[in-house]
Amino acid sequence: MHKRNKIFTIGITGSESGVGVTHISITLSRYIKFCLGRKVCLISKDMGEESYVKDRLKVLGVDVYAKENSEKAIFENGYEYAVKDYGIYTKAKGEAFKKESHGIFVLSSSFWAVKVFSRLIYTEVEEEYKTWTFITCFGDEDTIKVLNRKYDICIHRYPYTYGSLDIDMPVYTFFKNKLGL
């Protein structure tokens, strides 16, 4: 019988496709493993039944699981952290997302994407969104200011890196300072 250790789970979801959820999930997992020296896995909650990941796959040094077999595996393999990639936020995924130790919401801060974010906040998300960390990979500063004021949140800009999944100093500093890891 395996001892069930407390695992710190970080759920990452986004307002729409292409905003950087998977990118940040992989990079955060690599940061936890290589910079913090912790045992971490990445769970793709967004992979469907057709997923080619049947057990465990290693991506850039991090163990990756599909949603179907992940919950049992994270306990059996002694992970300290589990980063969960939820893909696009939906009400159905939201119930599980809200139970994670920490929630990260990735959005586009482009002017045209404000309506998508506003619709999500008003129709699908309850008040707990105020406890989440908000990240944007691209968009304009004026839109970030408007969203911060309107929803009483703080959107952090993810640093641009030359190697998209590298942990360079700006990314290291971002995760350390903005996420407290």
Side-chain angles (χ1 to χ4, degrees):
M1 179 165 235
H2 296 279
K3 181 181 175 188
R4 293 203 175 233
N5 297 329
K6 179 73 175 151
I7 298 171
F8 190 83
T9 59
I10 302 170
I12 304 176
T13 191
S15 58
E16 57 194 306
S17 180
V19 295
V21 172
T22 300
H23 173 91
I24 291 171
S25 297
I26 293 170
T27 308
L28 178 58
S29 299
R30 295 186 74 234
Y31 168 83
I32 291 168
K33 178 173 180 159
F34 296 112
C35 296
L36 301 182
R38 305 303 228 169
K39 192 162 184 181
V40 63
C41 66
L42 172 59
I43 300 168
S44 180
K45 305 294 266 184
D46 203 30
M47 290 183 188
E49 299 291 328
E50 71 285 351
S51 170
Y52 60 91
V53 180
K54 298 301 179 199
D55 185 29
R56 176 175 49 189
L57 175 71
K58 241 189 214 320
V59 175
L60 299 170
V62 175
D63 293 338
V64 178
Y65 295 90
K67 63 181 177 181
E68 307 332 323
N69 59 8
S70 59
E71 300 303 323
K72 183 178 174 188
I74 63 173
F75 288 109
E76 289 177 349
N77 289 297
Y79 295 107
E80 299 169 86
Y81 287 83
V83 176
K84 299 181 181 182
D85 178 342
Y86 280 86
I88 300 169
Y89 185 91
T90 64
K91 202 166 198 129
K93 293 177 189 175
E95 293 309 311
F97 178 77
K98 293 171 189 176
K99 295 176 184 174
E100 306 301 351
S101 306
H102 187 75
I104 297 173
F105 194 96
V106 184
L107 65 142
S108 168
S109 59
S110 299
F111 180 75
W112 55 268
V114 171
K115 286 183 180 178
V116 174
F117 181 71
S118 296
R119 180 188 51 78
L120 277 171
I121 293 298
Y122 283 130
T123 62
E124 298 189 28
V125 179
E126 305 294 327
E127 278 293 307
E128 60 269 347
Y129 77 85
K130 292 186 179 186
T131 65
W132 300 346
T133 298
F134 290 88
I135 297 174
T136 186
C137 296
F138 50 88
D140 63 87
E141 294 302 318
D142 289 337
T143 303
I144 291 172
K145 289 176 187 174
V146 168
L147 291 171
N148 285 340
R149 274 194 311 271
K150 184 173 184 174
Y151 298 106
D152 191 26
I153 59 176
C154 181
I155 300 171
H156 304 286
R157 179 170 298 283
Y158 189 78
Y160 174 80
T161 58
Y162 291 104
S164 65
L165 298 172
D166 289 345
I167 310 296
D168 58 9
M169 190 51 81
V171 171
Y172 175 87
T173 304
F174 179 84
F175 287 138
K176 183 176 185 217
N177 294 339
K178 303 299 183 198
L179 300 181
L181 294 174

